[in-house]
Amino acid sequence: MKETLMNRLTWMEYQERVRDEQAPVFLPVGALEQHGPHLPLGTDAILSTAVAEGVAGATSGLVAPAMAYGYKSQPKCGGGQHSPGTTSLDAMTLAHTVRDTVREFARHGVKKLVIVNGHYENQWFLIEGINLAMRELGKTPLTIMRLEYWDFFTPPTLAKAFPDGFPGYALEHAAVLETSMMLHYHPELVRLDRIPNDPPADFQPYDIYPTRTEWVPPSGVLSSAKSATREKGTAMVNELTTLISAAVKKEF
Ligand code: ZN
Ligand code: MN
C-alpha cells in the first residue's frame, strides 16, 4: 500500500507524488481543547487526521501533519477558554498559518489541497487564510477544497445516532458524534466510565464578556455522550470516508 503520511516521505518521494502523480494533499486542522472528562485534549486534530487518512487511502492522497492548535473555544460550541488545556490561537495567527502553509504547498507543486476541519470555531479563519493565500498566489494551478467533516453526515445516519433528536453540531461538542468516532478510531483514548450525563447546556441567545462560565456544564460537555457507541462510530466513519472520498474524486 502507498504511504499516506507526508512526513514519512523523503523530499524526492514527495515531489514525485505531488508533481508527477498529482496526489491530493490533505491538511487536517484541529484544536487543543477540553473535551470533557472522557476524551483527550487533542480530539479535534485526532479526528480530522483520522478522517483525512481514510480518505487519502481511498484517493491515493497524502496527509500533511495536522495543525493541532485552533481558534479560541467558544462557550456555545466548545465550552469556552476556561478549562486548563484549552490552548488556542488568535484569529490572525491561525489565518496566517493557513496562508503560509497553503503558499508553501503551492510553491512545491501541489495542485490539489483538501483542508479537513475538525474544530467548529476554526471555519472562518481557515477561509481567511485560504483567501489571503489565493490572493497572493494570483493565477495558480492550485485548487483547494475545504470542508468540515461533520457536514457529510446524512439525515438517516443522524436519525440512527440520535433517536431522541439531533441537538445540532454546536452542542455536539465532546458528545455522541465525537465520542462514537473516537470509540471507532482510538477506543483506548476514551474513558468510558467517566462519560458525564449532564443535561444539554442551556445558553442564552446572546454572548456576555467576560464569559459566563456558569452557562457551561462543569464537565465541559455540551450535551450527553451517554448514547455513544463504537458501532455508531463505525457507521459514521464509513459514511464520511465514502462521501468525502467521492467528493474529492468528483472535484479533482
Ligand atoms: Zn471537538
Ligand atoms: Mn473543537
Side-chain angles (χ1 to χ4, degrees):
M1 210 188 111
K2 270 193 171 169
E3 178 61 61
T4 53
L5 298 182
M6 173 185 170
N7 61 3
R8 292 167 62 94
L9 297 178
T10 66
W11 74 268
M12 291 177 193
E13 290 163 346
Y14 178 69
Q15 175 172 264
E16 193 181 306
R17 293 286 293 277
V18 298
R19 287 193 191 168
D20 304 344
E21 298 176 23
Q22 304 205 2
V25 173
F26 294 81
L27 175 63
V29 191
L32 197 53
E33 177 188 41
Q34 73 79 17
H35 272 75
H38 63 296
L39 293 179
L41 294 165
T43 293
D44 289 352
I46 290 171
L47 287 178
S48 58
T49 299
V51 169
E53 283 180 29
V55 178
T59 57
S60 304
L62 284 175
V63 181
M67 288 179 44
Y69 296 81
Y71 182 64
K72 293 158 197 154
S73 182
Q74 298 300 301
K76 289 176 182 172
C77 48
Q81 285 292 111
H82 55 285
S83 303
T86 299
T87 309
S88 309
L89 302 177
D90 286 349
M92 289 320 292
T93 311
L94 176 59
H96 285 164
T97 306
V98 172
R99 176 200 63 190
D100 295 357
T101 317
V102 168
R103 191 180 47 210
E104 292 296 89
F105 286 130
R107 204 162 61 79
H108 299 145
V110 172
K111 292 194 179 67
K112 306 164 182 173
L113 178 63
V114 185
I115 299 183
V116 181
N117 184 24
H119 175 59
Y120 198 85
E121 290 86 330
N122 284 343
Q123 180 170 347
W124 296 104
F125 311 114
L126 301 182
I127 293 171
E128 179 67 4
I130 292 166
N131 188 273
L132 294 175
M134 291 311 249
R135 195 164 71 188
E136 199 176 308
L137 288 168
K139 200 171 148 37
T140 173
L142 172 67
T143 301
I144 302 172
M145 180 179 197
R146 186 198 61 77
L147 61 95
E148 277 72 45
Y149 70 74
W150 49 81
D151 283 337
F152 284 80
F153 290 123
T154 59
T157 301
L158 292 177
K160 251 182 258 166
F162 300 94
D164 302 329
F166 178 51
Y169 292 113
L171 284 188
E172 254 300 307
H173 177 73
V176 177
L177 294 178
E178 286 184 319
T179 305
S180 298
M181 286 177 70
M182 284 296 280
L183 283 168
H184 170 82
Y185 287 125
H186 298 286
E188 74 286 358
L189 294 178
V190 182
R191 284 71 161 170
L192 270 182
D193 52 323
R194 305 225 191 123
I195 291 183
N197 203 10
D198 298 331
D202 186 19
F203 291 119
Q204 301 301 315
Y206 49 81
D207 295 326
I208 299 281
Y209 307 90
T211 301
R212 292 276 157 82
T213 54
E214 64 272 22
W215 288 0
V216 180
S219 66
V221 179
L222 301 184
S223 60
S224 178
K226 277 282 182 215
S227 64
T229 66
R230 189 170 187 175
E231 290 65 38
K232 283 182 183 177
T234 301
M236 290 169 186
V237 165
N238 289 341
E239 171 162 78
L240 288 184
T241 309
T242 304
L243 294 180
I244 299 175
S245 301
V248 169
K249 286 177 186 161
K250 173 171 171 270
E251 297 304 332
F252 294 133

